[in-house]
Amino acid sequence: MITPDKIVYSNRKSLAVCVDHFGKVTVRAPRKTGEKHIFAFLTEKEDWIRKKQAQYAAVSVALPTETLDGYTFLLLGNPCTVRLYDGKKIAFQNGEVFLPKENARKRLVKWLKENAKRIFTAVTAQKAAEMGVTYKSVSISGAKTRWGTCSADNKIRYTFRLLYTSKDLIEYVVVHELAHVRHKDHSKAFWQEVERYVPDWKSRRKRLKERGALMEIF
Ligand SMILES: [Zn+2]
């Protein structure tokens, strides 16, 4: 049996269920829906819910606590541990990032964005040359819902949170956005273009989807 973590009643007409990246189950229901009805609905959806929860559990993400000191997260696939110290500068060595105690979280995000800019700019230039496409610019956002975008005038934007994934997934997102220079949609022609440079794009796309919880780190 599935017990919902949250039930949201509204003026909607039918029942719906969603599973977030941490495996939490939210039911959306029309006002005055009886509990019996909701549980029957969840039983019907149980297999789907369990499958989603298993997918997300496979990519467990421990979020940072308030103190931050000692927190370990993945940076380009390698563990990186936060060490707060009394110094003034951010230093990174041997899988440890040394952070000044003051405004630690803010400074860490700034540092991540700077690194994202440098790394994603380089990968984009390299892939664009391979693909024979040109783009206007690369910028970094703090988006939590999408890994990358390509505007109508070919300005490419990535969330710095892509740094929490791995090189192969970053490469997939870069090729995906660059393929949008030629195709402004997700048509068959678009995916063929992606496939030319990332033959296993389907599995990379799937893994990226399963890593949505990473968006919540910092
Ligand atoms: Zn797209």
Side-chain angles (χ1 to χ4, degrees):
M1 195 178 91
I2 303 269
T3 317
D5 295 284
K6 206 169 149 192
I7 303 175
V8 183
Y9 294 97
S10 69
N11 288 328
R12 55 180 301 128
K13 293 223 162 58
S14 58
L15 281 163
V17 59
C18 70
V19 179
D20 75 9
H21 291 120
F22 298 95
K24 293 245 186 306
V25 177
T26 300
V27 171
R28 296 185 193 280
R31 283 185 211 289
K32 292 185 185 163
T33 309
E35 237 175 53
K36 236 183 177 173
H37 201 72
I38 290 174
F39 278 100
F41 172 72
L42 285 175
T43 302
E44 207 178 287
K45 298 281 180 191
E46 182 160 351
D47 286 352
W48 178 85
I49 294 168
R50 298 258 184 243
K51 201 177 132 207
K52 280 273 160 204
Q53 286 177 326
Q55 273 175 9
Y56 293 133
V59 191
S60 67
V61 174
L63 294 180
T65 56
E66 210 40 58
T67 55
L68 218 63
D69 197 32
Y71 175 67
T72 299
F73 61 105
L74 288 181
L75 208 49
L76 300 173
N78 300 305
C80 174
T81 302
V82 175
R83 304 277 178 225
L84 294 187
Y85 84 128
D86 287 318
K88 293 231 182 303
K89 282 194 174 147
I90 293 184
F92 178 70
Q93 59 184 77
N94 302 325
E96 290 181 310
V97 58
F98 294 89
L99 270 183
K101 280 179 181 155
E102 211 161 308
N103 288 325
R105 194 175 277 253
K106 234 182 176 170
R107 297 185 72 166
L108 180 57
V109 168
K110 189 169 171 267
W111 180 77
L112 287 169
K113 282 185 172 171
E114 285 163 3
N115 280 286
K117 173 94 182 173
R118 181 175 52 80
I119 295 164
F120 302 161
T121 299
V123 180
T124 305
Q126 187 206 329
K127 287 288 156 194
E130 252 176 66
M131 295 167 73
V133 295
T134 50
Y135 54 92
K136 212 164 241 169
S137 58
V138 170
S139 59
I140 302 301
S141 79
K144 283 191 168 186
T145 51
R146 38 189 23 188
W147 300 104
T149 57
C150 177
S151 71
D153 58 349
N154 302 325
K155 287 179 182 157
I156 293 173
R157 194 175 264 263
Y158 305 104
T159 174
F160 74 89
R161 297 187 164 86
L162 255 184
L163 285 176
Y164 305 142
T165 68
S166 49
K167 282 178 186 162
D168 59 335
L169 298 187
I170 291 167
E171 185 191 50
Y172 161 69
V173 174
V174 169
V175 168
H176 180 122
E177 299 316 330
L178 286 170
H180 277 316
V181 170
R182 287 199 179 114
H183 308 276
K184 297 294 182 203
D185 50 22
H186 293 109
S187 59
K188 208 172 164 204
F190 167 83
W191 289 116
Q192 277 168 351
E193 174 88 4
V194 172
E195 187 156 326
R196 213 165 290 148
Y197 302 97
V198 184
D200 62 338
W201 64 271
K202 275 186 191 159
S203 91
R204 295 198 208 187
R205 183 165 175 248
K206 182 168 170 277
R207 277 188 286 140
L208 199 56
K209 275 191 177 167
E210 290 166 357
R211 281 160 177 73
L214 294 174
M215 293 282 199
E216 303 300 325
I217 301 178
F218 305 125

